[in-house]
Amino acid sequence: GPRPAPAELTDGNNEHLKREHSLMKPYQGAGSAAMPLWDFTGSTMVTSQYVRLTPDERSREGSIWNRVPCFLKDWELHVHFRIHGAGKKNLHGDGLALWYTQERLTPGPVFGSKDNFHGLAIFLDTYPNDEATERVFPYISAMVNNGSLTYEHSKDGRGTELAGCSADLRNQNHDTFLAVRYSRGRLTVMTDVEDKNEWKNCIDIAGVQLPTGYFFGASAGTGDLSDNHDIISMKLFQLMVEHPVEDETVDWTKIEPRVSLLKSPKDNVDDPTGNFRSGPLTGWKVFLLLLCALLGIIVCAVVGAVVFQKRQERNKRFY
């Protein structure tokens, strides 16, 4: 049967589709330099079937950005994309990025867009720059930046990565999708790249603070190696979520992008699973902490019993 619309696979539904933040066929202004709600730059080319950020040529970069700032607190972005080219094995690159940032239309070294950005980036990295890595590429990762962090290409962004996963998303003969959900401080990234009509969890992080009023965009870049990086659609859905009463007093446009983690992203090291190692208060460390607490309670109880018994004996001698 026909493939279900991606919106039907998660909490989003077409009633909550925000067209002012969505890019869908037929693209208005296709073949021209003018689109009502989107701006594009660099090597980006808009056709009737896709938005090609880069062709399969070396040293190209391109991006497309929504003109309308998003003031939704809870949203879900569904991206229908295609990364493909003539390169075999690792002879292709560099990758595609999805953005929710304060800055827009600023070319730069991070998959064709600005470094030291403010906001959220999801990277679909197709080439391992670090030869010592044990990760399997293509690799999807997330980064939140307040403008102070630099994406390190030579390490594939490992020092600033929050979490990630491997995904076989290149040169597929079927549709490939990615969903980014942000709701009540929780960031979730899901993939549908196996032609199974189902979402697969990739990233799930709590404690994420993102302001409202930022812009959605997509960019891609090629270097010595290349690929076609195509966006077929970007659909944004508003999630209907209740917030605590105290949230009504917060100016969400003034929040600084940040993540409340048990450890700094800078402590991140390579992990074949694509995730953080256990944080300082997880796994066996939690067990040791609980064991020490239990032993401490037992020691206190024993000391208290001995002290109580000594007092009782002293009281008996007094009387």
Side-chain angles (χ1 to χ4, degrees), residues 253-269:
T253 63
K254 299 294 194 298
I255 294 175
E256 182 179 84
R258 66 185 183 90
V259 182
S260 303
L261 293 173
L262 294 178
K263 62 182 291 185
S264 168
K266 294 182 179 180
D267 297 330
N268 192 16
V269 297

PDB file of all heavy atoms in Angstrom, residues 253-269:
ATOM      1  N   THR A 253      12.396  33.978  24.476  1.00  0.00           N
ATOM      2  CA  THR A 253      13.314  34.515  23.469  1.00  0.00           C
ATOM      3  C   THR A 253      14.665  34.887  24.072  1.00  0.00           C
ATOM      4  O   THR A 253      15.637  35.091  23.342  1.00  0.00           O
ATOM      5  CB  THR A 253      12.725  35.764  22.789  1.00  0.00           C
ATOM      6  OG1 THR A 253      12.553  36.804  23.774  1.00  0.00           O
ATOM      7  CG2 THR A 253      11.378  35.449  22.151  1.00  0.00           C
ATOM      8  N   LYS A 254      14.739  34.979  25.401  1.00  0.00           N
ATOM      9  CA  LYS A 254      15.972  35.402  26.066  1.00  0.00           C
ATOM     10  C   LYS A 254      16.764  34.231  26.648  1.00  0.00           C
ATOM     11  O   LYS A 254      17.828  34.429  27.233  1.00  0.00           O
ATOM     12  CB  LYS A 254      15.643  36.390  27.186  1.00  0.00           C
ATOM     13  CG  LYS A 254      14.967  37.671  26.734  1.00  0.00           C
ATOM     14  CD  LYS A 254      15.904  38.509  25.869  1.00  0.00           C
ATOM     15  CE  LYS A 254      15.393  39.933  25.693  1.00  0.00           C
ATOM     16  NZ  LYS A 254      14.103  40.010  25.005  1.00  0.00           N
ATOM     17  N   ILE A 255      16.256  33.013  26.516  1.00  0.00           N
ATOM     18  CA  ILE A 255      16.952  31.854  27.081  1.00  0.00           C
ATOM     19  C   ILE A 255      18.239  31.586  26.299  1.00  0.00           C
ATOM     20  O   ILE A 255      18.269  31.706  25.069  1.00  0.00           O
ATOM     21  CB  ILE A 255      16.042  30.609  27.026  1.00  0.00           C
ATOM     22  CG1 ILE A 255      14.844  30.807  27.959  1.00  0.00           C
ATOM     23  CG2 ILE A 255      16.790  29.345  27.419  1.00  0.00           C
ATOM     24  CD1 ILE A 255      13.830  29.693  27.876  1.00  0.00           C
ATOM     25  N   GLU A 256      19.286  31.229  27.007  1.00  0.00           N
ATOM     26  CA  GLU A 256      20.543  30.865  26.340  1.00  0.00           C
ATOM     27  C   GLU A 256      20.526  29.388  25.986  1.00  0.00           C
ATOM     28  O   GLU A 256      20.158  28.554  26.817  1.00  0.00           O
ATOM     29  CB  GLU A 256      21.739  31.162  27.243  1.00  0.00           C
ATOM     30  CG  GLU A 256      23.078  30.863  26.590  1.00  0.00           C
ATOM     31  CD  GLU A 256      24.254  31.190  27.484  1.00  0.00           C
ATOM     32  OE1 GLU A 256      24.603  30.325  28.318  1.00  0.00           O
ATOM     33  OE2 GLU A 256      24.815  32.292  27.361  1.00  0.00           O
ATOM     34  N   PRO A 257      20.908  29.017  24.767  1.00  0.00           N
ATOM     35  CA  PRO A 257      20.944  27.590  24.414  1.00  0.00           C
ATOM     36  C   PRO A 257      21.949  26.852  25.305  1.00  0.00           C
ATOM     37  O   PRO A 257      23.105  27.254  25.423  1.00  0.00           O
ATOM     38  CB  PRO A 257      21.438  27.605  22.953  1.00  0.00           C
ATOM     39  CG  PRO A 257      21.186  28.984  22.461  1.00  0.00           C
ATOM     40  CD  PRO A 257      21.320  29.879  23.648  1.00  0.00           C
ATOM     41  N   ARG A 258      21.487  25.777  25.933  1.00  0.00           N
ATOM     42  CA  ARG A 258      22.373  25.017  26.810  1.00  0.00           C
ATOM     43  C   ARG A 258      21.783  23.641  27.065  1.00  0.00           C
ATOM     44  O   ARG A 258      20.618  23.376  26.742  1.00  0.00           O
ATOM     45  CB  ARG A 258      22.611  25.742  28.135  1.00  0.00           C
ATOM     46  CG  ARG A 258      21.364  25.878  29.010  1.00  0.00           C
ATOM     47  CD  ARG A 258      21.652  26.701  30.243  1.00  0.00           C
ATOM     48  NE  ARG A 258      20.485  26.783  31.118  1.00  0.00           N
ATOM     49  CZ  ARG A 258      20.221  25.915  32.089  1.00  0.00           C
ATOM     50  NH1 ARG A 258      21.033  24.895  32.298  1.00  0.00           N
ATOM     51  NH2 ARG A 258      19.146  26.041  32.837  1.00  0.00           N
ATOM     52  N   VAL A 259      22.583  22.787  27.665  1.00  0.00           N
ATOM     53  CA  VAL A 259      22.153  21.439  28.035  1.00  0.00           C
ATOM     54  C   VAL A 259      22.634  21.149  29.443  1.00  0.00           C
ATOM     55  O   VAL A 259      23.817  21.346  29.757  1.00  0.00           O
ATOM     56  CB  VAL A 259      22.714  20.379  27.064  1.00  0.00           C
ATOM     57  CG1 VAL A 259      22.200  18.990  27.439  1.00  0.00           C
ATOM     58  CG2 VAL A 259      22.331  20.704  25.631  1.00  0.00           C
ATOM     59  N   SER A 260      21.734  20.698  30.299  1.00  0.00           N
ATOM     60  CA  SER A 260      22.092  20.324  31.667  1.00  0.00           C
ATOM     61  C   SER A 260      22.473  18.851  31.677  1.00  0.00           C
ATOM     62  O   SER A 260      21.617  17.969  31.752  1.00  0.00           O
ATOM     63  CB  SER A 260      20.917  20.581  32.615  1.00  0.00           C
ATOM     64  OG  SER A 260      20.522  21.932  32.563  1.00  0.00           O
ATOM     65  N   LEU A 261      23.779  18.588  31.596  1.00  0.00           N
ATOM     66  CA  LEU A 261      24.279  17.214  31.560  1.00  0.00           C
ATOM     67  C   LEU A 261      24.976  16.870  32.862  1.00  0.00           C
ATOM     68  O   LEU A 261      25.424  17.752  33.607  1.00  0.00           O
ATOM     69  CB  LEU A 261      25.272  17.046  30.406  1.00  0.00           C
ATOM     70  CG  LEU A 261      24.710  17.153  28.980  1.00  0.00           C
ATOM     71  CD1 LEU A 261      25.853  17.129  27.985  1.00  0.00           C
ATOM     72  CD2 LEU A 261      23.762  16.005  28.699  1.00  0.00           C
ATOM     73  N   LEU A 262      25.122  15.566  33.119  1.00  0.00           N
ATOM     74  CA  LEU A 262      25.892  15.120  34.266  1.00  0.00           C
ATOM     75  C   LEU A 262      27.392  15.267  34.004  1.00  0.00           C
ATOM     76  O   LEU A 262      28.196  15.162  34.911  1.00  0.00           O
ATOM     77  CB  LEU A 262      25.574  13.651  34.582  1.00  0.00           C
ATOM     78  CG  LEU A 262      24.148  13.378  35.057  1.00  0.00           C
ATOM     79  CD1 LEU A 262      23.941  11.899  35.279  1.00  0.00           C
ATOM     80  CD2 LEU A 262      23.869  14.139  36.347  1.00  0.00           C
ATOM     81  N   LYS A 263      27.758  15.477  32.776  1.00  0.00           N
ATOM     82  CA  LYS A 263      29.154  15.687  32.425  1.00  0.00           C
ATOM     83  C   LYS A 263      29.229  16.647  31.248  1.00  0.00           C
ATOM     84  O   LYS A 263      28.249  16.846  30.533  1.00  0.00           O
ATOM     85  CB  LYS A 263      29.830  14.365  32.081  1.00  0.00           C
ATOM     86  CG  LYS A 263      29.227  13.672  30.869  1.00  0.00           C
ATOM     87  CD  LYS A 263      29.902  12.355  30.593  1.00  0.00           C
ATOM     88  CE  LYS A 263      31.304  12.552  30.117  1.00  0.00           C
ATOM     89  NZ  LYS A 263      31.951  11.305  29.720  1.00  0.00           N
ATOM     90  N   SER A 264      30.388  17.235  31.040  1.00  0.00           N
ATOM     91  CA  SER A 264      30.574  18.176  29.942  1.00  0.00           C
ATOM     92  C   SER A 264      30.729  17.433  28.632  1.00  0.00           C
ATOM     93  O   SER A 264      31.353  16.381  28.573  1.00  0.00           O
ATOM     94  CB  SER A 264      31.819  19.027  30.204  1.00  0.00           C
ATOM     95  OG  SER A 264      32.182  19.736  29.050  1.00  0.00           O
ATOM     96  N   PRO A 265      30.170  17.971  27.538  1.00  0.00           N
ATOM     97  CA  PRO A 265      30.400  17.346  26.232  1.00  0.00           C
ATOM     98  C   PRO A 265      31.883  17.244  25.890  1.00  0.00           C
ATOM     99  O   PRO A 265      32.294  16.374  25.137  1.00  0.00           O
ATOM    100  CB  PRO A 265      29.681  18.294  25.264  1.00  0.00           C
ATOM    101  CG  PRO A 265      28.652  18.974  26.090  1.00  0.00           C
ATOM    102  CD  PRO A 265      29.268  19.115  27.453  1.00  0.00           C
ATOM    103  N   LYS A 266      32.704  18.130  26.479  1.00  0.00           N
ATOM    104  CA  LYS A 266      34.133  18.096  26.183  1.00  0.00           C
ATOM    105  C   LYS A 266      34.803  16.839  26.724  1.00  0.00           C
ATOM    106  O   LYS A 266      35.916  16.500  26.331  1.00  0.00           O
ATOM    107  CB  LYS A 266      34.813  19.346  26.743  1.00  0.00           C
ATOM    108  CG  LYS A 266      34.368  20.633  26.052  1.00  0.00           C
ATOM    109  CD  LYS A 266      35.097  21.828  26.597  1.00  0.00           C
ATOM    110  CE  LYS A 266      34.653  23.107  25.883  1.00  0.00           C
ATOM    111  NZ  LYS A 266      35.355  24.295  26.391  1.00  0.00           N
ATOM    112  N   ASP A 267      34.143  16.150  27.671  1.00  0.00           N
ATOM    113  CA  ASP A 267      34.692  14.905  28.197  1.00  0.00           C
ATOM    114  C   ASP A 267      34.361  13.717  27.326  1.00  0.00           C
ATOM    115  O   ASP A 267      34.764  12.600  27.608  1.00  0.00           O
ATOM    116  CB  ASP A 267      34.152  14.642  29.615  1.00  0.00           C
ATOM    117  CG  ASP A 267      34.588  15.711  30.595  1.00  0.00           C
ATOM    118  OD1 ASP A 267      35.685  16.273  30.374  1.00  0.00           O
ATOM    119  OD2 ASP A 267      33.854  15.976  31.555  1.00  0.00           O
ATOM    120  N   ASN A 268      33.602  13.951  26.272  1.00  0.00           N
ATOM    121  CA  ASN A 268      33.166  12.859  25.411  1.00  0.00           C
ATOM    122  C   ASN A 268      34.357  12.237  24.691  1.00  0.00           C
ATOM    123  O   ASN A 268      35.226  12.917  24.196  1.00  0.00           O
ATOM    124  CB  ASN A 268      32.164  13.389  24.380  1.00  0.00           C
ATOM    125  CG  ASN A 268      31.461  12.268  23.657  1.00  0.00           C
ATOM    126  OD1 ASN A 268      31.489  11.130  24.098  1.00  0.00           O
ATOM    127  ND2 ASN A 268      30.832  12.595  22.549  1.00  0.00           N
ATOM    128  N   VAL A 269      34.387  10.919  24.648  1.00  0.00           N
ATOM    129  CA  VAL A 269      35.414  10.201  23.903  1.00  0.00           C
ATOM    130  C   VAL A 269      34.726   9.241  22.959  1.00  0.00           C
ATOM    131  O   VAL A 269      33.536   8.977  23.066  1.00  0.00           O
ATOM    132  CB  VAL A 269      36.371   9.428  24.840  1.00  0.00           C
ATOM    133  CG1 VAL A 269      37.123  10.371  25.736  1.00  0.00           C
ATOM    134  CG2 VAL A 269      35.622   8.385  25.641  1.00  0.00           C
TER     135      VAL A 269
END
